């Protein structure tokens, strides 16, 4: 598709606004998710940072490393993460519609989060185009999904996905803020 | 192996011997099923005779962790064929992942074809089953995963921790559970009687930690299903012999989330036909009747979920389970005032089917029930109905031969026809006698629904003169009127009243009005009512009576009410909800003669409940004297009160502590004390309060009382008794004032006379006749009066030499008019007798006058006019007169002569013609001594001189009186 050339500042600003908006809802998504999973997830103050998914890159990074990345690298990492997140959010939504069919609120929030992650992906692609950066290839980040995962494993998986969605959104806000400062309107 | 080979060898070589040798299980393989947590064994039995079946018993031993720890031993009997692979499963309580299991097996022939004794074979070697190695790299595992169990069952869970340094705690729904360590890496937890918490499963998780640092969480979801219940109230019935409708109460739904278990399924199985049907609904199922011949059914309803199967059984005859369809076409035929025929239909089932039906008739708040047996068409004769009444009739039916169930009700409403009213209306009258005629008001009560038999359309009133033969008058009054007015002359009349509906007229109600008016005076008797009503009794009327009537008026509608009483009764209780407390009701009791003429017997009046008076009288204070006053309330009406007024209470407050005689001490509701006087006669509406003190302050309050209490609280009226002497004073003062006034009037009227008598006018010498006499003789030395002892003032008129007319004013007319050619001084000073020629002048300086003017000026010669008669100044001795004269003169001078040409110089009144004074003058020392010099002075009009001198005023004075001009 041949879209009219848009200035980087405008696309960055757009993406930044979306990321900020997403940031407001990520903690609510995580809380809603945990609330439906039973103990220990629903216990107050539940946190299990050691739980990770190999298919989902962690958002945490050393600040020095992160700061030293060039724009293309930084955007590529975020784009890869959100690509993985959109797929994982769909997986979690499928799991939950099986486990918690009577919880439309959670299912709706998961669906919304996935759509927003996709939206941010689109915005990031636009930025990369505007900056003339090479687009990373789209890939199936989920790879082989353990469909036979136990119910508890699926609950854990959902937790990691909703948690990392929040972390990656926070990181995207920082990424875009950095870009915004670099390409002022 | 060597042993086995040897045995095989023997078996092969010596078949006879082999028959006696045990057949040992070989090729034992054990696999695991993680979902079912079961061990699956498969083996074969070698050396079985070809094509021969043998019954064998296999004993299986299962050990856990180590071979010596046998956890299960059991036998498995089966028939074994040649070359058959045998299968057997064992479900482990402990998840297989948590421990290594060992299995071995031995067998024995248990077949009749084999002669006894049989020996157990040797044990197979231990087969080891371990799943742990295939678990993966994680450091903590919890098993079993996603296990489905029934509520109340016992479950063993376990964890495998790879790192023995980790401290592992496990929790069930947040509560820590205690386990049993199987080996340093494995701990098992026995959960007894697990509860159902939710259909999404129960979380059980373990947390590995070192110190306080969490190393990871692992968990499982245990799906606990509710116990499947047996279906309740299973029942089948048919409405048409085509379909059997079966229903039941399914009880709890055992469905679980995560698709772990769907809702239980229901299956209908009929054993006679062998047919089965999976039901799509959880609480009902339809079964098609295919064979007409099948009368008996044996149904089994099977409820099933993943864990359990429950069933209920029912055997029945189809004809005993007939639930008829509802009756239809309910109708009413031949409906008249009291009867109707009800018809209905039922759905035909089979030939010669008898139905049993039940009819319910609802109407007039009552219900009647009738039973009837019918075939296809139902019919029932409903009798003894009320006319003009709406009824509701409904019917339901059942199989008459085998009662199973009633149908639903099918019903319809109908209304019976009207009939003529069955009873005469209850009629009463009130008669107002006027000269020459009676005004009779007839009242009647509407007929009850029971007697009206329909809608009353009108009332017929037939008036018939009993004294003279004449035609009867008919008045037709449309309903719902309940009264009419008739004006009748002084004759006896019979009045018949009938109520009419669309069918006919009621029996007549007859009343006779006698020709004589009701002029009988009857004493009114007071009665006491109660909240329930009034109890009245009267003396029986002599002679025959057909009954008594008590009438009264309702309040506040003021509608005549009456009650009929039988002839043998002389008392009754009038009770109605309409009686209001505080309202006076007047009852009249009439006797009805056999001629139906009413005769007033007694009058009663009373209150159902007396109330305290609603208002207090307006009290007037009369005849106020120093020692008494009279209170009166003549216009207070005692009849219009909410109770019988029994008297009045007069409250009096005064400063005196003691109450007056006849008064008693009383305490008011506000706690203050006062004196109270009680008047027992309601018609005594005045009271003289005496023995009072003069000039004292009293307060009184009059309130009536009934049996219920006093009137409302109100303020006391204040009265102050007059002073004892004040009246006396008035008696004296008034005549005195009158006298003085009289005298004054007389004085006014006679003022002229008094003036003339007491202070006549002083005669004016200039008006006297003597003056003309003097003028005539021209004797200047003659004067009328010599005022030698007055100190006169002098006015000096300065005229220009050209001559100015100087008019001397001050008296009513000018005495002289002199034309002067030189400045002239009109010498007004009184002179001595010899002072006829120019004499010495005295010059005064008035320092209050303008200095500039006085500086500029100097005294001129003041020649005295030789013929000026100074004596005229006698009239001007009063300074006031002089000033007036001056003022007038000054004004005139301004008007008559140009300013500056004439100046009026004022000579102080202090000036006296004494020679000694001239030395004291501070100015003009060089003037001739014979003539006193005058400083120019301005004559200031009195009104200008009155305010204190200001610059402006002095300036204006200068302007007016230029000294230069003046000097010229």
């Amino acid at each position: 598709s041949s879209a009219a050339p848009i200035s980087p500042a405008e696309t960055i600003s757009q993406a930044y606004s979306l990321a900020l908006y997403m940031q407001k809802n990520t903690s609510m998504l995580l809380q809603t998710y945990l609330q439906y999973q039973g103990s220990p997830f629903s216990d107050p103050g539940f946190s299990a940072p050691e739980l990770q998914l190999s298919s989902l890159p962690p958002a945490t990074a050393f600040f020095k490393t992160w700061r030293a990345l060039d724009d293309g690298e930084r955007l590529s990492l975020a784009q890869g993460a959100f690509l993985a997140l959109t797929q994982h959010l769909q997986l979690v939504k499928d799991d939950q519609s099986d486990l918690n069919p009577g919880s439309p609120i959670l299912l709706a929030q998961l669906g919304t989060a996935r759509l927003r992650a996709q939206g941010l992906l689109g915005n990031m692609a636009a930025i990369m185009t505007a900056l003339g950066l090479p687009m990373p290839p789209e890939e199936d980040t989920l790879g082989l999904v353990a469909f036979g995962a136990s119910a508890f494993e699926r609950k854990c998986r959902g937790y990691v996905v909703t948690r990392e969605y929040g972390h990656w959104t926070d990181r995207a806000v920082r990424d875009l803020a950095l870009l915004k400062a670099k390409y002022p309107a | 192996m060597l042993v086995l080979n040897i045995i095989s060898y023997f078996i092969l070589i010596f078949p006879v011997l082999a028959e006696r040798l045990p057949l040992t299980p070989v090729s034992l393989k054990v696999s695991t099923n993680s979902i079912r947590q079961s061990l699956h064994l498969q083996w074969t039995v070698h050396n079985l005779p070809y094509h021969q079946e043998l019954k064998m018993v296999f004993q299986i031993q299962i050990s856990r962790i180590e071979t010596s720890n046998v956890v299960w031993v059991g036998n498995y009997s089966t028939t074994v064929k040649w070359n058959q692979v045998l299968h057997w499963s064992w479900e482990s309580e402990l998840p297989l992942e948590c421990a290594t299991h060992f299995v071995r097996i031995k067998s024995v022939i248990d077949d009749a074809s084999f002669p006894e004794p049989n020996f157990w074979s040797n044990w197979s070697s231990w087969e080891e089953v371990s799943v742990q190695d295939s678990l993966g790299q994680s450091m903590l595992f919890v098993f079993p995963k996603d296990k489905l169990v029934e509520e109340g069952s016992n479950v063993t869970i376990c964890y495998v921790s790879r790192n023995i340094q980790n401290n592992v705690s496990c929790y069930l729904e947040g509560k820590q559970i205690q386990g049993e360590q199987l080996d340093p890496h494995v701990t098992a937890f026995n959960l007894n009687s697990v509860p159902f918490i939710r259909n999404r499963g129960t979380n059980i998780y373990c947390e590995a930690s070192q110190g306080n640092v969490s190393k990871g969480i692992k968990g499982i979801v245990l799906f606990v299903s509710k116990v499947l219940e047996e279906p309740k109230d299973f029942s089948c019935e048919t409405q048409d012999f085509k379909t059997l409708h079966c229903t039941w109460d399914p009880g709890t739904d055992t469905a679980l989330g995560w698709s772990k278990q769907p809702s239980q399924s229901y299956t209908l199985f009929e054993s006679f036909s062998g047919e089965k049907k999976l039901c799509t609904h959880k609480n009902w199922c339809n079964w098609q009747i295919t064979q007409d011949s099948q009368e008996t059914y044996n149904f089994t309803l099977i409820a099933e979920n993943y864990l359990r199967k429950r069933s209920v059984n029912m055997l029945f005859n189809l004809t005993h389970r007939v639930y008829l369809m509802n009756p239809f076409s309910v109708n009413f035929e031949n409906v008249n005032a009291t009867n109707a025929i009800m018809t209905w239909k039922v759905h035909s089932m089979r030939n010669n089917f008898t139905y049993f039906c039940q009819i319910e008739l609802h109407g007039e708040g009552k219900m009647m029930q009738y039973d009837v047996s019918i075939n296809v068409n139902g019919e029932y004769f409903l009798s003894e109905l009320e006319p003009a009444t709406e009824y509701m009739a409904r019917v339901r039916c059942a199989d008459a031969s085998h009662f199973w169930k009633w149908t639903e009700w099918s019903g319809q409403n109908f209304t019976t026809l009207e009939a003529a009213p069955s009873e005469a209306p209850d009629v009463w009258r009130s008669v107002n006698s006027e000269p020459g005629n009676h005004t009779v008001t007839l009242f009647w009560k509407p007929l009850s629904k029971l007697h009206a038999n329909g809608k009353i359309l009108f009332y017929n009133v037939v008036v018939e003169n009993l004294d003279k033969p004449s035609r009867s008058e008919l008045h037709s009054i449309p309903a719902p009127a309940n009264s009419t007015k008739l004006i009748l002359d002084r004759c006896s009349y019979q009045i018949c009243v009938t109520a009419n509906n669309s069918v006919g007229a009621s029996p007549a109600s007859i009343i006779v009005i006698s020709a004589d008016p009701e002029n009988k005076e009857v004493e009114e008797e007071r009665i006491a009512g109660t909240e329930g009503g009034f109890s009245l009794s009267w003396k029986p009327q002599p002679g025959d009576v057909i009954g008594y009537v008590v009438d009264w008026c309702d309040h506040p509608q003021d509608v005549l009410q009456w009650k009929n009483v039988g002839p043998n009764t002389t008392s009754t209780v009038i009770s109605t909800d309409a009686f209001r407390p505080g309202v006076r009701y007047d009852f009249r009791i009439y006797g009805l003669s056999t001629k139906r003429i009413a005769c007033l017997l007694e009058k009663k009046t009373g209150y159902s409940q007396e109330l305290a008076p609603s208002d207090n009288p307006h009290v007037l204070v009369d005849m106020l004297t120093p020692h008494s006053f009279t209170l009166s309330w003549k216009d207070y009406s005692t009849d219009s009160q909410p109770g019988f007024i029994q008297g009045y209470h007069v409250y009096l407050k005064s400063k005196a502590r003691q109450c007056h005689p006849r008064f008693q001490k009383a305490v008011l509701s506000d706690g203050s004390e006062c004196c109270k006087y009680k008047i027992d006669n309601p018609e005594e509406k005045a009271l003289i309060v005496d023995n009072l003190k003069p000039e004292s302050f009293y307060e009184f309050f009059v309130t009536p009382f009934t049996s219920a209490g006093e009137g409302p609280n109100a303020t006391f009226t204040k009265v102050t008794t007059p002073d004892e002497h004040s009246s006396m004073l008035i008696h004296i003062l008034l005549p005195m004032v009158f006298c003085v006034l009289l005298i004054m009037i007389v004085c006014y009227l006679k003022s002229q006379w008094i003036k003339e008598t007491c202070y006549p006018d002083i005669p004016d010498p200039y008006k006297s006749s003597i003056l003309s006499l003097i003028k005539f003789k021209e004797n200047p030395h003659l004067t009328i009066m010599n005022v030698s002892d007055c100190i006169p003032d002098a006015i000096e008129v300065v005229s220009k030499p050209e001559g100015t007319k100087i008019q001397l004013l001050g008296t009513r007319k000018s005495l002289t008019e002199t034309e002067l050619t030189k400045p002239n001084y009109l010498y007004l000073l009184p002179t001595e007798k010899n002072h006829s020629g120019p004499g010495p002048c005295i010059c005064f300086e008035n320092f209050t006058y303008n200095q500039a003017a006085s500086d500029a000026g100097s005294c001129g010669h003041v020649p005295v006019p030789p013929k000026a008669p100074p004596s005229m100044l006698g009239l001007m001795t009063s300074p006031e007169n002089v000033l007036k004269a001056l003022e007038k003169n000054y004004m005139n001078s301004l008007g008559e002569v140009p300013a500056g040409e004439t100046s009026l110089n004022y000579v102080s009144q202090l000036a006296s013609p004494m020679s000694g004074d001239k030395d004291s003058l501070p100015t003009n020392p060089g003037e001739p001594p014979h003539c006193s010099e005058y400083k120019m002075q301005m004559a200031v009009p009195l009104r200008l001189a009155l305010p204190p001198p200001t610059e402006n005023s002095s300036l204006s004075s200068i302007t007016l009186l230029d000294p230069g001009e003046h000097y010229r």
Side-chain angles (χ1 to χ4, degrees):
Chain A
S1 62
S2 58
I6 309 164
S7 74
E10 198 178 320
T11 51
I12 290 165
S13 177
Q14 230 169 35
Y16 180 69
S17 301
L18 176 63
L20 273 182
Y21 180 66
M22 284 162 70
Q23 203 178 22
K24 284 178 190 164
N25 297 300
T26 53
S27 71
M28 193 170 76
L29 171 68
L30 180 61
Q31 288 311 312
T32 312
Y33 177 82
L34 293 176
Q35 182 194 319
Y36 278 96
Q37 309 311 317
S39 180
F41 306 99
S42 60
D43 295 346
F46 170 79
S47 168
E50 71 282 354
L51 285 179
Q52 293 289 347
L53 279 176
S54 56
S55 51
L56 197 62
T60 47
F62 288 105
F63 178 74
K64 205 173 167 184
T65 319
W66 171 77
R67 202 67 173 73
L69 294 171
D70 64 40
D71 295 344
E73 286 170 330
R74 205 180 290 113
L75 275 174
S76 292
L77 285 173
Q79 215 178 10
F82 275 97
L83 185 63
L85 277 168
T86 52
Q87 291 164 15
H88 279 83
L89 282 166
Q90 184 63 61
L91 177 69
V92 175
K93 194 188 168 197
D94 291 349
D95 284 345
Q96 290 298 315
S97 61
D98 196 3
L99 178 65
N100 288 310
S103 55
I105 297 168
L106 172 62
L107 298 180
Q109 284 190 16
L110 284 167
T112 312
R114 194 181 137 264
L115 284 175
R116 286 181 185 154
Q118 271 180 339
L120 193 62
L121 265 180
N123 278 328
M124 284 175 171
I127 294 170
M128 291 182 101
T129 312
L131 295 179
L133 296 167
M135 296 284 283
E138 272 202 26
E139 56 188 60
D140 183 3
T141 54
L142 260 175
L144 293 171
V145 170
F147 290 113
S150 76
F152 198 85
E153 284 161 355
R154 294 196 224 179
K155 287 181 179 187
C156 290
R157 185 162 68 191
Y159 159 67
V160 176
V161 171
T162 49
R163 183 193 66 193
E164 289 304 313
Y165 172 69
H167 289 171
W168 268 110
T169 307
D170 292 342
R171 180 164 162 174
V173 169
R174 296 292 300 270
D175 289 345
L176 293 164
L178 214 62
L179 267 182
K180 210 167 172 258
K182 208 163 168 182
Y183 298 95
Chain B
M1 285 301 278
L2 184 68
V3 176
L4 274 171
N5 285 341
I6 292 166
I7 290 167
S8 314
Y9 173 78
F10 274 102
I11 290 167
L12 287 169
I13 304 296
F14 308 104
V16 179
L17 186 69
E19 281 174 9
R20 295 183 178 278
L21 283 175
L23 298 170
T24 309
V26 291
S27 308
L28 176 64
K29 285 179 188 166
V30 183
S31 58
T32 55
N33 183 331
S34 187
I35 293 162
R36 291 173 167 259
Q37 288 294 333
S38 62
L39 291 176
H40 187 74
L41 279 65
Q42 63 180 64
W43 70 93
T44 55
V45 179
H46 277 194
N47 307 328
L48 272 176
Y50 186 65
H51 293 308
Q52 194 179 345
E53 287 187 358
L54 273 181
K55 278 184 88 178
M56 289 185 78
V57 175
F58 299 92
Q59 191 173 58
I60 300 159
Q61 251 189 6
I62 298 171
S63 300
R64 194 173 276 162
I65 302 167
E66 53 193 25
T67 53
S68 60
N69 180 25
V70 175
V71 291
W72 193 84
V73 178
N75 289 345
Y76 169 56
S77 301
T78 187
T79 309
V80 187
K81 285 181 221 166
W82 179 78
N83 228 3
Q84 185 188 357
V85 179
L86 291 154
H87 296 269
W88 182 80
S89 283
W90 176 75
E91 203 169 303
S92 172
E93 283 174 22
L94 181 73
L96 295 173
E97 293 89 345
C98 287
T100 307
H101 286 76
F102 300 92
V103 182
R104 65 177 180 174
I105 191 166
K106 67 178 178 180
S107 62
V108 66
I109 296 167
D110 182 26
D111 202 302
S113 62
F114 256 73
E116 297 277 340
N118 290 312
F119 302 99
W120 281 100
S121 73
N122 289 329
W123 284 107
S124 70
S125 58
W126 286 104
E127 197 64 34
E128 185 181 330
V129 187
S130 178
V131 198
Q132 279 190 18
D133 296 338
S134 61
L135 288 181
Q137 292 305 308
S138 190
M139 59 176 180
L140 183 67
F141 300 91
V142 185
F143 296 104
K145 289 180 175 175
D146 300 352
K147 194 178 170 91
L148 172 66
V149 293
E150 203 168 57
E151 185 180 19
S153 57
N154 298 333
V155 180
T156 303
I157 65 154
C158 61
Y159 70 78
V160 178
S161 174
R162 288 274 162 80
N163 187 346
I164 54 167
Q165 284 178 357
N166 283 347
N167 183 21
V168 180
S169 309
C170 294
Y171 304 85
L172 186 151
E173 284 294 314
K175 270 190 188 166
Q176 194 169 357
I177 47 176
Q178 297 303 324
E180 177 196 351
Q181 195 172 35
L182 300 182
D183 71 34
H185 296 280
V186 178
T187 299
F189 301 86
N190 293 312
L191 307 175
N192 295 322
S193 186
V194 287
F196 170 86
I197 295 175
R198 65 182 82 80
N199 59 13
R200 299 201 304 270
T202 305
N203 283 358
I204 298 166
Y205 70 97
C206 299
E207 187 172 21
S209 59
Q210 278 185 11
N212 284 333
V213 182
S214 173
K215 290 287 173 185
I217 284 178
K218 280 290 162 71
I220 56 161
V221 178
L222 188 67
F223 289 92
V224 181
S225 160
K226 286 225 161 205
V227 179
L228 180 63
E229 293 173 42
E230 196 173 80
K232 291 184 277 281
D233 305 331
F234 179 42
S235 149
C236 296
E237 62 195 14
T238 183
Q239 286 198 310
D240 52 6
F241 289 100
K242 286 176 188 163
T243 310
L244 263 173
H245 180 67
C246 298
T247 56
W248 61 89
D249 173 8
T252 317
D253 189 350
T254 61
L256 291 174
W258 216 282
S259 306
K260 203 63 196 176
Q261 178 176 264
S263 293
Q264 64 267 32
S265 64
Y266 290 92
T267 309
L268 263 184
F269 174 66
E270 205 284 304
S271 61
F272 293 115
S273 61
E275 283 180 35
K276 200 178 220 181
K277 187 184 180 187
L278 183 65
C279 299
T280 45
H281 297 95
K282 62 179 197 172
N283 60 347
W284 63 270
C285 207
N286 279 342
W287 182 272
Q288 296 300 319
I289 299 169
T290 49
Q291 293 169 294
D292 278 348
S293 55
Q294 189 176 353
E295 289 281 313
T296 314
Y297 288 82
N298 186 8
F299 274 113
T300 306
L301 176 67
I302 305 147
E304 200 175 356
N305 67 8
Y306 287 176
L307 299 168
R308 197 184 278 268
K309 195 185 256 192
R310 305 294 287 264
S311 64
V312 283
N313 195 71
M314 185 172 53
L315 178 73
F316 61 89
N317 192 321
L318 186 65
T319 53
H320 297 183
R321 298 294 169 96
V322 178
Y323 174 49
L324 295 177
M325 279 189 266
N326 296 341
F328 62 101
S329 293
V330 178
N331 275 310
F332 301 93
E333 296 167 5
N334 300 339
V335 180
N336 61 33
T338 53
N339 304 316
I341 296 168
M342 179 182 182
T343 62
W344 67 96
K345 285 180 177 161
V346 285
H347 292 272
S348 170
M349 300 291 283
R350 285 175 174 183
N351 292 333
N352 302 321
F353 207 89
T354 318
Y355 304 92
F356 178 68
C357 295
Q358 200 170 52
I359 296 164
E360 265 186 16
L361 181 69
H362 296 260
E364 298 287 289
K366 289 183 286 189
M367 193 271 280
M368 303 292 288
Q369 206 173 60
Y370 314 101
D371 296 333
V372 59
S373 281
I374 60 158
N375 284 318
V376 178
N377 294 322
E379 187 179 295
Y380 192 80
F381 182 70
L382 299 166
S383 59
E384 295 177 351
L385 305 175
E386 297 291 341
T389 303
E390 188 177 22
Y391 286 94
M392 195 276 281
R394 57 182 194 170
V395 61
R396 62 179 180 179
C397 298
D399 177 5
S401 44
H402 301 283
F403 182 87
W404 166 244
K405 240 182 205 180
W406 285 114
T407 63
E408 298 290 314
W409 289 104
S410 297
Q412 198 72 259
N413 288 6
F414 71 101
T415 305
T416 49
L417 300 181
E418 290 191 353
S422 59
E423 204 161 86
D426 183 3
V427 179
W428 187 234
R429 89 292 177 274
S430 75
V431 180
N432 270 334
S433 294
E434 288 154 27
N437 58 32
H438 301 303
T439 301
V440 177
T441 312
L442 287 176
F443 297 91
W444 54 86
K445 290 175 183 167
L447 286 173
S448 69
K449 198 174 180 306
L450 183 70
H451 296 128
N453 288 342
K455 192 187 178 193
I456 298 296
L457 302 174
F458 56 92
Y459 294 89
N460 276 346
V461 178
V462 179
V463 184
E464 193 184 342
N465 193 324
L466 296 178
D467 295 344
K468 345 178 210 189
S470 63
R471 281 176 60 187
S472 316
E473 270 182 62
L474 170 69
H475 304 267
S476 192
I477 295 123
N482 60 355
S483 68
T484 188
K485 207 170 253 188
L486 303 169
I487 295 172
L488 306 174
D489 58 17
R490 291 271 171 148
C491 290
S492 297
Y493 283 92
Q494 176 178 287
I495 301 168
C496 298
V497 182
T498 55
N500 297 261
N501 63 15
S502 64
V503 177
S506 70
S509 198
I510 300 166
I511 265 186
V512 174
I513 309 293
S514 71
D516 301 322
E518 284 181 1
N519 51 6
K520 190 177 161 189
E521 280 298 317
V522 177
E523 275 276 308
E524 191 176 66
E525 187 195 343
R526 281 188 181 180
I527 51 167
T530 62
E531 275 181 53
F534 292 89
S535 185
L536 305 173
S537 63
W538 57 91
K539 287 173 196 146
Q541 193 188 18
D544 287 341
V545 286
I546 58 164
Y548 297 95
V549 175
V550 180
D551 76 7
W552 70 95
C553 270
D554 245 359
H555 187 84
Q557 291 85 8
D558 218 24
V559 178
L560 186 72
Q561 305 287 322
W562 70 96
K563 185 183 180 181
N564 294 306
V565 184
N568 300 323
T569 316
T570 55
S571 68
T572 188
V573 174
I574 309 288
S575 58
T576 152
D577 293 338
F579 288 139
R580 299 271 172 271
V583 176
R584 188 186 283 203
Y585 292 96
D586 296 316
F587 297 93
R588 285 173 295 186
I589 299 153
Y590 295 86
L592 279 178
S593 72
T594 47
K595 289 180 179 173
R596 295 186 179 270
I597 297 171
C599 173
L600 181 63
L601 303 180
E602 290 180 29
K603 280 184 182 177
K604 317 258 180 188
T605 184
Y607 295 85
S608 69
Q609 187 193 339
E610 281 192 70
L611 299 180
S614 55
D615 56 346
N616 292 320
H618 177 68
V619 180
L620 299 171
V621 183
D622 286 336
M623 297 161 71
L624 182 65
T625 69
H627 294 285
S628 73
F629 57 78
T630 304
L631 302 175
S632 74
W633 54 96
K634 299 286 185 202
D635 52 355
Y636 184 70
S637 162
T638 52
D639 286 338
S640 56
Q641 295 299 326
F644 293 119
I645 300 292
Q646 295 179 345
Y648 306 93
H649 286 149
V650 180
Y651 293 95
L652 190 69
K653 277 191 201 171
S654 67
K655 283 183 182 171
R657 290 265 167 193
Q658 292 293 317
C659 279
H660 295 80
R662 302 186 292 156
F663 278 81
Q664 289 180 329
K665 274 211 166 171
V667 179
L668 294 174
S669 56
D670 62 356
S672 61
E673 280 193 355
C674 68
C675 300
K676 176 179 170 183
Y677 179 69
K678 188 178 178 184
I679 300 172
D680 282 327
N681 181 3
E683 295 311 317
E684 190 182 323
K685 295 177 183 174
L687 176 71
I688 299 168
V689 184
D690 50 9
N691 291 328
L692 304 178
K693 286 179 184 167
E695 262 188 296
S696 293
F697 180 67
Y698 292 94
E699 287 178 283
F700 69 86
F701 169 53
V702 179
T703 182
F705 63 92
T706 67
S707 65
E710 291 183 347
N713 281 339
T715 49
F716 278 68
T717 308
K718 297 169 178 62
V719 175
T720 307
T721 50
D723 185 4
E724 212 167 356
H725 306 289
S726 61
S727 59
M728 226 152 65
L729 274 173
I730 286 165
H731 287 303
I732 297 166
L733 272 176
L734 270 174
M736 275 180 69
V737 168
F738 180 75
C739 287
V740 167
L741 270 174
L742 199 69
I743 291 165
M744 283 172 75
I745 291 163
V746 168
C747 289
Y748 177 75
L749 291 173
K750 296 286 177 185
S751 56
Q752 204 59 36
W753 176 79
I754 290 168
K755 191 184 172 191
E756 283 169 15
T757 313
C758 299
Y759 53 99
D761 278 339
I762 298 165
D764 188 347
Y766 295 99
K767 283 180 184 171
S768 74
S769 50
I770 297 169
L771 194 64
S772 56
L773 210 77
I774 292 167
K775 275 184 178 169
F776 179 72
K777 287 181 179 176
E778 289 186 341
N779 187 358
H781 301 284
L782 269 175
T783 53
I784 298 155
M785 209 168 98
N786 192 12
V787 191
S788 57
D789 49 355
C790 288
I791 301 169
D793 279 2
I795 287 175
E796 173 188 357
V797 178
V798 182
S799 293
K800 276 195 168 180
E802 293 89 51
T804 308
K805 277 185 180 175
I806 291 171
Q807 199 170 7
L808 250 183
L809 297 168
T811 54
R812 287 185 196 126
K813 62 177 185 183
S814 58
L815 291 178
T816 52
E817 285 184 355
T818 315
E819 267 197 323
L820 298 174
T821 52
K822 284 183 178 178
N824 282 332
Y825 293 92
L826 175 62
Y827 209 76
L828 297 177
L829 285 172
T831 52
E832 301 290 336
K833 281 176 188 169
N834 55 355
H835 212 115
S836 55
C841 293
I842 304 160
C843 188
F844 287 98
E845 184 181 11
N846 188 339
F847 292 103
T848 58
Y849 281 66
N850 192 320
Q851 191 63 46
S854 57
D855 284 348
S858 59
C859 274
H861 298 276
V862 185
V864 177
K867 286 177 184 177
S871 56
M872 57 156 285
L873 284 172
L875 285 174
M876 298 183 72
T877 46
S878 158
E880 202 179 320
N881 288 345
V882 173
L883 277 174
K884 275 181 182 168
L886 280 172
E887 185 183 335
K888 203 170 179 183
N889 186 30
Y890 170 69
M891 298 306 284
N892 287 345
S893 305
L894 282 177
E896 285 172 20
V897 293
E901 285 186 359
T902 306
S903 290
L904 187 66
N905 277 3
Y906 175 69
V907 181
S908 167
Q909 293 174 10
L910 292 172
S912 72
M914 283 160 48
S915 58
D917 277 347
K918 63 191 176 190
D919 293 330
S920 66
L921 293 170
T923 51
N924 309 318
E927 292 297 317
H930 65 272
C931 182
S932 300
E933 279 189 66
Y934 280 84
K935 280 272 179 184
M936 194 268 313
Q937 293 179 345
M938 285 170 291
V940 180
L942 184 64
R943 58 174 177 267
L944 290 175
L946 279 172
T950 60
E951 240 179 76
N952 286 343
S953 63
S954 53
L955 273 172
S956 63
S957 301
I958 292 162
T959 314
L960 278 170
L961 304 161
D962 188 10
E965 274 186 2
H966 159 68
Y967 192 63
R968 255 186 304 177

